[in-house]
Amino acid sequence: MNVFWRLVLAYYICAVLFYNQSFFSWRDRKPLLAWGLQVAGYFLLGGALTWPYLNLSWPLVGLVDVPAVVCLAAFALFEATNNKMMVYRSGQQKGHVLTFVVHDVLALLFILLCAPTKVLYETGNLMAEPWILCAVGLLVVTKMFSVFIFMAEQDLYGRDVPTMDESFVTMLMRLIFYLMTLLPGWRWVLWCVVWLWACRMARQSRLMDFSRFALYFSAFGSMAVGLLVKWSFFLQ
């Protein structure tokens, strides 16, 4: 499953580049150029991360084995087109969370169907190299949780796009929860409780301005991802 997780990492790295208000605004003005830039980004980054496996045949959408570069091109074209679902809007419009979930499920399903899984059949191991899983977890708790929380708050409150300061502070908060969960043993529980209390006090005193939903989803979501990554280490 190394190819699968490496393509997932490429997908989330591209999310850092392409899931933001500035890019979406530019995409609306120059759609063809933006689409071409996304295709190039997914293709080049996916190829760089899966370089050791480009000599293998990959299954194109699980149907027929083709050269790896063909699947990489299909991956890039599909993700660039799929990203048109992702839009940041203000106001009381609904369905943003559903759009986010459908978009990501389609992206990950397409990657799974194009990644060679012979090793999975032989070993039953779904995991990849620890550094890949750690990096995927880091991007999920920082960037992808930021997008999900914003989409949820759009549905709940009709909120505006978060400021740069708010985005940075909340991503840092989740990153600390995630990294503490990776500590060996059970000491992480105490540190996470202390950090949650500190974040709660900072929010109540208005030192950090974010919703209660953002606080608790960030805390427990980041710890859950950290535990999954740490658990995967024992399956190597």
Side-chain angles (χ1 to χ4, degrees), residues 19-52:
Y19 291 8
N20 57 75
Q21 183 66 29
S22 297
F23 182 80
F24 290 157
S25 298
W26 181 72
R27 183 185 66 183
D28 291 340
R29 296 194 304 271
K30 298 183 178 180
L32 287 178
L33 185 58
W35 183 81
L37 179 62
Q38 290 179 89
V39 170
Y42 283 112
F43 183 83
L44 294 175
L45 192 54
L49 286 173
T50 59
W51 183 263

Side-chain angles (χ1 to χ4, degrees), residues 117-139:
T117 55
K118 181 180 179 181
V119 175
L120 172 61
Y121 296 140
E122 292 177 349
T123 66
N125 190 354
L126 284 168
M127 300 302 112
E129 306 100 321
W131 75 269
I132 292 285
L133 294 172
C134 284
V136 168
L138 185 148
L139 291 174

Side-chain angles (χ1 to χ4, degrees), residues 47-72:
L49 286 173
T50 59
W51 183 263
Y53 306 95
L54 295 183
N55 60 324
L56 301 176
S57 294
W58 294 11
L60 182 60
V61 199
L63 298 176
V64 58
D65 287 346
V66 297
V69 68
V70 175
C71 275
L72 277 175

Side-chain angles (χ1 to χ4, degrees), residues 3 34 38 54-55 67 70 78-79 83 98 100 131 147 156 158 171 181 192-193:
V3 172
Q38 290 179 89
L54 295 183
N55 60 324
V70 175
F78 178 83
E79 299 301 352
N83 279 354
L98 180 61
F100 175 86
W131 75 269
V147 178
L156 293 171
M171 283 195 291
T181 306
C192 285
V193 169

